Each structure stands twice: as C-alpha cells, then as structure tokens.
C-alpha cells in the first residue's frame, strides 16, 4: 500500500516487463519510504495493469506527472497586486495604485505633473508599489524627479518642465537595491554623494538617486527589492529532483556497504537498479 503526497513522487511511467506484463512504475523522490515491508531503496513500486486498461493507465500516468510538475512550483505569498483599472477624465487616466503611492510621499509639492505622467506610463501588467521625490545622477540624467517602483520597472520621471524626460529600468535586470548615507566611494559606482539615497545595481553599474526624505527612499528601496525577489521566486522550482551527483553518492555508499557484507547480492541489485533508473531521462 502506498500513501504519500504527490510532492514525494519523482516520476511515474508506464512500462512493459520482460514477461510482457504492463505495469505503472511509481518512483519516489526519496529512497526511505517503506514499500511492501522494506525500504524503497530507489526501487519503483509496480502496479500491475490489465492489457485492456492500458489506455486508461496511460492517461493516469500523464495526469500524475502533471501533478508532480505542478507540485514543484512555489506559490509566493503576496498582497493582491492585480493592477486596478484606470478611471478617465479630461486630464487622462488615473489609477488607484498610483494615487495611493503618491499620497504616501512626505514631499508632494510640485509633483502633480509627474504623477499625471506616471498614470499614463504604467501598463496594465504592472502595479505601482511606492514613489519618492529624488535627484537622479548620471547616467540616468540630472535633476529632480519622481522615482516610482512598480512590480515590473523602476521609473524616474523628471520634474523639470524645461527638460522633460523619463528613464526606466526593468526589474528583471536589477540585482539589488540599498539605501545609502554619507559618501561611500566603491569602484564602479556612478553619481555624486553627500546625502541619503538609494543605489540600484544591475550587474554592471550602480545607479544612484539622492532623496530629500529618507522615509520615502526607504520605502522605494524596499519595494524594488520586493519586486526583484518576487520576479525571481514566483513560479520557481520547488524541491530539486535527486541529481546525478546525489545518485552517484548513493551508489558509492551502496558499493561500500555491499563490500562490507551489510547488503546482500539481491539488495545490491535491487537498489542499484533503482538508482540507475532514477537518473534524469528527459521524459
């Protein structure tokens, strides 16, 4: 009798034995569960299938393997980040996430034009997390602007009416963000120093933004790092299948135990065959 979660299964496949019997072979991710009174030792559990049930068995195998694959995905616990639908007025679209983020800023004077532009720039696939007023340094561009962290991008929108521009950095290109204070001078960093701000690193250069309000910059920094972790973790693979190195280590231990008489010939053949057949087969 087998009673294990699907997440403990390595793979399931339909096979025909040498005696022409058809079996569903159930491979376990770990060699320790007890099957038919003895440890599995990588040996698959065979389930005998009647010839006329082979089509149904093939469908069952496909469904189980699909569940195994689905079980290897991690669901990231996160707030509801579905982008809200905009409301439209004469000045253009307005989104609730943009307005909430702007209202959390300590410094909101003279940012109306940039907030209006941000409402137009955001896409239907991204959610605006935090905003702050900041000074961008080269190579982003100079001057005061609105810094916005979304689930997809880091945006900088200039507040200078005589020199309007916007700069974007996709979140998948960001490695990390951190708050700064003082005047560090690490090699490869870009921009002037002297007040608290945020560094954003993309693996090549470090962009620097100076902030008048430390609390606002802290929130944007946390939002960028949250978006980076969310992008890298959402849908990532769960517990890894036993790799070739792990299976080889099990083989070496099996050989050693067999040479010491701790495992008899029948056990050695059974476990060894199970290790061999647990190797990745691309199927």
């Amino acid at each position: 009798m087998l009673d294990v979660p699907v997440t403990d299964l390595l793979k399931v496949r339909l096979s025909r034995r040498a005696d022409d019997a058809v079996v569903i072979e159930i491979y376990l991710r770990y060699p320790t569960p007890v099957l038919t009174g003895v440890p599995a030792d990588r040996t698959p559990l065979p389930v005998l299938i009647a010839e006329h049930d082979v089509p149904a068995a093939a469908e069952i195998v496909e469904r189980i393997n699909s569940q195994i694959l689905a079980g290897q995905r991690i669901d990231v616990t996160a707030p509801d980040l579905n982008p809200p639908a905009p409301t439209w007025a004469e000045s253009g679209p307005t989104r609730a996430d943009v307005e909430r983020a702007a209202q959390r800023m300590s410094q909101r004077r003279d940012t109306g034009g940039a907030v209006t532009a941000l409402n137009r720039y955001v896409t239907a696939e991204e959610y605006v997390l935090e905003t702050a007023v900041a000074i961008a340094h080269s190579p982003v561009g100079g001057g005061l602007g609105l810094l916005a962290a979304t689930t997809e991008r880091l945006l900088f929108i200039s507040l200078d009416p005589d020199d309007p521009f916007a700069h974007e950095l996709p979140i998948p290109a960001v490695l990390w963000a951190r708050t700064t204070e003082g005047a560090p001078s690490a090699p490869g960093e870009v921009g002037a120093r002297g007040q608290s701000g945020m560094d954003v690193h993309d693996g090549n250069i470090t962009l620097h933004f100076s902030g008048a309000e430390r609390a606002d910059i802290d929130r944007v920094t946390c939002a960028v790092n949250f978006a980076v972790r969310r992008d890298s973790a959402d849908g990532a693979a769960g517990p890894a299948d036993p790799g070739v190195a792990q299976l080889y280590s099990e083989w070496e231990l099996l050989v050693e135990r067999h040479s010491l008489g701790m495992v008899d010939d029948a056990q050695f053949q059974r476990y060894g065959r199970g290790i061999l057949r647990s190797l990745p087969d691309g199927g």
Side-chain angles (χ1 to χ4, degrees):
M1 178 178 178
L2 178 67
D3 183 10
V4 298
V6 172
T7 51
D8 283 356
L9 301 183
L10 176 63
K11 58 186 174 182
V12 180
R13 65 185 181 188
L14 199 61
S15 297
R16 188 176 293 275
R17 299 191 310 203
D19 61 0
D20 210 34
V22 179
V23 295
I24 294 177
E25 293 179 326
I26 302 174
Y27 292 80
L28 298 171
R29 189 179 299 278
Y30 313 105
T32 50
V34 175
L35 301 176
T36 61
V38 296
D41 288 346
R42 296 279 175 213
T43 305
L45 175 68
V47 179
L48 190 63
I49 300 297
E51 194 69 37
H52 63 273
D53 287 331
V54 169
E59 184 176 347
I60 291 173
V61 167
E62 183 179 354
R63 290 187 179 183
I64 294 177
N65 282 321
S66 296
Q67 291 180 37
I68 292 172
L69 182 61
Q72 289 182 275
R73 297 182 65 84
I74 299 173
D75 292 327
V76 177
T77 301
D80 181 11
L81 298 178
N82 291 319
T87 58
W88 291 82
E90 291 183 3
S91 59
T94 300
R95 286 203 352 191
D97 56 336
V98 175
E99 297 303 310
R100 285 195 296 266
Q103 289 171 7
R104 285 193 291 270
M105 290 191 301
S106 303
Q107 181 180 344
R108 296 196 295 271
R109 193 175 62 178
D110 301 326
T111 61
V115 172
T116 299
L118 180 59
N119 272 293
R120 295 197 302 267
Y121 290 161
V122 290
T123 67
E125 289 75 36
E126 63 187 329
Y127 187 98
V128 176
L129 299 168
E130 294 291 348
T131 58
V133 174
I135 299 173
H137 302 278
S138 177
V140 175
L144 198 65
L146 181 69
L147 191 61
T150 81
T151 52
E152 302 291 334
R153 296 178 293 171
L154 178 64
L155 291 162
F156 181 82
I157 303 170
S158 173
L159 291 176
D160 186 351
D162 298 325
D163 184 24
F165 71 90
H167 181 88
E168 68 171 14
L169 180 63
I171 288 297
V174 178
L175 295 183
W176 50 257
R178 68 185 179 200
T179 54
T180 62
E181 194 161 2
S185 56
E189 294 190 343
V190 178
R193 303 292 162 147
Q195 64 183 125
S196 62
M198 178 180 72
D199 282 350
V200 181
H201 188 59
D202 68 356
N204 181 30
I205 61 174
T206 302
L207 307 179
H208 182 68
F209 301 89
S210 302
E213 296 292 339
R214 180 59 182 262
D216 292 346
I217 290 295
D218 282 346
R219 285 201 307 274
V220 172
T221 303
C222 289
V224 171
N225 285 321
F226 167 79
V228 170
R229 289 193 295 270
R230 177 177 178 269
D231 180 73
S232 62
D234 192 11
D241 291 343
V244 174
Q246 178 183 340
L247 293 170
Y248 183 69
S249 295
E250 291 185 21
W251 168 257
E252 287 185 314
L253 180 60
L254 176 65
V255 171
E256 181 180 354
R257 294 176 65 194
H258 182 249
S259 66
L260 294 173
M262 300 171 64
V263 174
D264 61 28
D265 291 345
Q267 291 174 315
F268 178 79
Q269 292 180 9
R270 184 170 64 89
Y271 199 174
R273 188 163 51 245
I275 291 174
L276 179 63
R277 300 187 71 180
S278 293
L279 289 168
D281 55 12

